[in-house]
């Protein structure tokens, strides 16, 4: 719910439920007064927030446009058709399902569409940046499927293509998953397609992170190569929290049935409307320029962190995402994250390929939405390194962060 951009809503809430209104304002203040470097986060637009806070939230709509299990869906049907058309057009896909509640739900549906419990699946191992849904024993994926992990080259941090090919030939998986929560480089979808074809496997691209860059033309598209593309709408794409699935017409019906009725119930029409708004925004030249800036910023941030002494995984980035080992600055990722949080610099820890200690994972999607550019990235790297080393005095660093973000309000006015 937008507190800043829906003053009436904010007033209503303040009168009706001051306790909760205060919590919302507190979170808005936290987002605006600290530095948001979590790679999976962004600031969606006031228009997206308006759709999310709209009365479409009231509507039950099980099924698909024109074939619903509830009455009164004429209007929301138009909203969902619009979201689907915009997604197809934006990504050049034959089919789009916009009902998946989240990235994980999209992956669940992709597996449900193509696999049976017990099938073998090849995916990037969790220590190298695989997602929970790529075979974690704590997740349905690890329990219901037989995951074989591939990794990255110990020296370069780049996906080990020889290993992918060998494992595929040995295990003959039913599906190969490419996609990651922490891999900073472009994924070679043509390579994965070739291996999948050789062993008769489906190719599932889990493009939850880079799909926004794909929309803006700043990263290669998995759509021409993968049988199914899973994605989120809330990361670089800057839409509402949610999932999306793209595929060819031949899998359309299986994918749709895998979402509803197999794994989900009623569609969230307010979120689908907000997805339509985000797809509309992502189709503009301004968004394309935004994605180019996101990558330019990440490259500068990676170089500046390396300059400060961090070991940047793969030596840099092609995307919005940077992972780095702060060990040369004297602490591991977990300690670094704590110190940074105290200074108002918000980011994640991540596993490091072939290291026992944790690293740091940063992204430039949110700060770029705020209008920050190369100059600010250098300043962020210096601030971050000072805090991690413990040379920057705590209160002073917090003041500097405040000074930086004050110039870039996420929701001006
Ligand atoms: C973010 C992400 C997901 C999960 O998305 P949620 O909306 O958090 O469920 C799945 N796969 C990858 C690769 C991701 O980056």
């Amino acid at each position: 719910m937008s507190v800043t951009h829906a003053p009436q809503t904010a007033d209503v809430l303040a009168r009706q439920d001051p306790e909760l209104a205060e919590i919302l304002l507190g979170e808005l203040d936290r987002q605006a007064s600290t530095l948001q470097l979590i790679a999976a986060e962004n600031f969606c637009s006031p228009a997206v927030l308006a759709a999310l806070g709209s009365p479409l939230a009231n509507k039950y709509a099980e099924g698909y446009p024109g074939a619903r299990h509830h009455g009164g869906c004429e209007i929301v049907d138009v909203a969902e058709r619009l979201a689907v058309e915009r997604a197809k057009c934006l990504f050049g896909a034959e089919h789009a399902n916009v009902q998946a509640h989240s990235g994980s739900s999209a992956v669940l549906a992709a597996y449900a569409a193509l696999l049976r419990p017990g099938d073998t699946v090849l995916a990037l191992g969790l220590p190298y940046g695989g997602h929970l849904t790529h075979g974690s024993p704590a997740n349905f994926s690890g329990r219901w499927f037989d995951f074989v992990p591939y990794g990255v080259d110990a020296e370069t941090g780049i996906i080990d293509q020889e290993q992918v090919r060998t494992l595929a030939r040995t295990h003959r998986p039913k599906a190969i998953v490419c996609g990651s929560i922490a891999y900073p480089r472009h994924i070679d979808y043509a390579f994965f397609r070739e291996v999948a074809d050789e062993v008769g496997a489906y190719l599932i691209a889990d493009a939850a992170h880079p799909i926004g860059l794909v929309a803006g033309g700043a990263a290669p598209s998995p759509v021409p190569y993968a049988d199914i593309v899973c994605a989120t709408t809330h990361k670089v794409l800057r839409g509402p929290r949610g999932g999306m699935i793209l595929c060819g017409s031949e899998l359309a019906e299986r994918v749709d049935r895998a979402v509803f009725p197999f794994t989900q119930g009623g569609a969230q029409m307010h979120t689908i409307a907000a997805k339509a708004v985000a797809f509309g925004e992502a189709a503009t030249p301004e968004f394309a320029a935004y994605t180019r800036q996101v990558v330019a910023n990440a490259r500068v941030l990676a170089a500046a962190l390396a300059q400060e002494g961090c070991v940047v995984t793969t030596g840099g980035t092609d995307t919005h995402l940077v992972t780095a080992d702060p060990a040369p600055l004297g602490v591991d990722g977990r300690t670094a994250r704590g110190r940074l949080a105290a200074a108002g610099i918000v980011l994640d820890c991540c596993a490091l390929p072939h290291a026992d200690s944790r690293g740091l994972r940063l992204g430039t999607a949110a700060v770029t939405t705020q209008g920050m550019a190369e100059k600010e990235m250098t300043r962020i790297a210096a601030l971050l390194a000072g805090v991690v080393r413990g040379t920057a005095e705590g209160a002073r660093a917090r003041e500097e962060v405040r000074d930086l973000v004050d110039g870039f309000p996420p929701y001006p006015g």
Side-chain angles (χ1 to χ4, degrees), residues 170-259:
T170 309
H171 295 275
R172 314 293 295 186
K174 185 83 176 290
I176 300 176
V177 178
C178 57
S180 167
I181 61 167
Y183 192 65
R185 297 296 181 174
H186 290 322
I187 289 193
D188 186 346
Y189 298 112
F191 161 77
F192 278 99
R193 176 77 264 167
E194 186 195 307
V195 176
D197 283 343
E198 188 194 318
V199 301
Y202 288 112
L203 180 61
I204 299 171
D206 185 359
H209 266 277
I211 197 73
L213 299 176
V214 173
S221 174
V223 171
Y225 300 100
D227 296 290
I228 295 183
V229 176
C230 302
T232 61
T233 49
H234 53 272
K235 296 181 181 175
V236 186
L237 190 53
R238 213 159 67 183
R241 191 152 295 283
M244 168 176 65
I245 305 173
L246 306 168
C247 64
S249 333
E250 73 290 351
L251 287 176
E253 212 193 318
R254 274 161 81 181
V255 163
D256 283 353
R257 277 190 282 115
V259 175

Side-chain angles (χ1 to χ4, degrees), residues 36-37 41-46 234-239 281 286-287 289-291 293-295 297 320 363-373 377 407-412:
Q36 309 309 324
L37 294 173
E41 291 186 1
N42 209 333
F43 293 103
C44 61
S45 72
H234 53 272
K235 296 181 181 175
V236 186
L237 190 53
R238 213 159 67 183
E281 292 174 356
E286 290 75 21
F287 190 84
Y290 160 71
T291 60
Q293 189 64 48
V294 165
V295 175
N297 282 353
H320 62 299
T364 53
V367 292
T368 307
T369 295
Q370 287 175 276
M372 294 189 203
M377 298 307 115
F408 301 91
Y411 296 109

Side-chain angles (χ1 to χ4, degrees), residues 40-316:
E41 291 186 1
N42 209 333
F43 293 103
C44 61
S45 72
V48 167
L49 290 176
L52 278 177
S54 73
L56 270 73
N58 300 328
K59 190 70 199 93
Y60 231 118
E62 278 184 354
Y64 288 98
R68 303 281 192 186
H69 297 261
H70 298 93
C73 290
E74 316 77 61
I75 312 277
V76 293
D77 276 4
V78 182
E80 183 164 345
R81 285 200 177 101
L82 184 63
V84 167
E85 278 316 307
R86 286 183 178 175
K88 283 162 62 176
C89 183
L90 186 59
F91 297 105
E94 287 173 2
H95 182 69
N97 183 301
V98 297
Q99 289 196 6
H101 295 327
S102 69
S104 300
S105 309
V107 177
L108 170 61
Y111 295 168
L114 301 178
L115 308 174
R116 300 243 155 227
D119 278 345
T120 300
V121 185
L122 199 60
L124 184 63
L126 269 60
Y128 312 113
H131 184 254
L132 285 167
T133 53
H134 302 172
S136 162
N139 183 264
F140 77 91
S141 57
R143 190 177 311 168
W144 292 346
F145 302 103
D146 185 9
F147 270 85
V148 175
Y150 56 87
V152 298
D153 183 271
E155 292 278 298
T156 62
I158 302 289
I159 287 174
D160 184 344
Q161 297 197 342
E162 266 327 294
Q163 189 195 22
V164 172
R165 204 185 287 280
T166 308
L167 289 173
R169 284 175 182 162
T170 309
H171 295 275
R172 314 293 295 186
K174 185 83 176 290
I176 300 176
V177 178
C178 57
S180 167
I181 61 167
Y183 192 65
R185 297 296 181 174
H186 290 322
I187 289 193
D188 186 346
Y189 298 112
F191 161 77
F192 278 99
R193 176 77 264 167
E194 186 195 307
V195 176
D197 283 343
E198 188 194 318
V199 301
Y202 288 112
L203 180 61
I204 299 171
D206 185 359
H209 266 277
I211 197 73
L213 299 176
V214 173
S221 174
V223 171
Y225 300 100
D227 296 290
I228 295 183
V229 176
C230 302
T232 61
T233 49
H234 53 272
K235 296 181 181 175
V236 186
L237 190 53
R238 213 159 67 183
R241 191 152 295 283
M244 168 176 65
I245 305 173
L246 306 168
C247 64
S249 333
E250 73 290 351
L251 287 176
E253 212 193 318
R254 274 161 81 181
V255 163
D256 283 353
R257 277 190 282 115
V259 175
F260 175 87
F262 195 74
T263 57
Q264 289 190 179
Q268 303 201 342
M269 297 316 306
H270 58 309
T271 306
I272 289 173
K275 288 173 186 175
V277 175
F279 297 146
E281 292 174 356
T284 61
E286 290 75 21
F287 190 84
Y290 160 71
T291 60
R292 284 193 299 274
Q293 189 64 48
V294 165
V295 175
N297 282 353
R299 289 212 162 112
V300 170
L301 186 61
L305 286 172
Q307 195 78 42
E308 295 287 349
C310 294
V311 182
V312 173
T313 315
T314 77

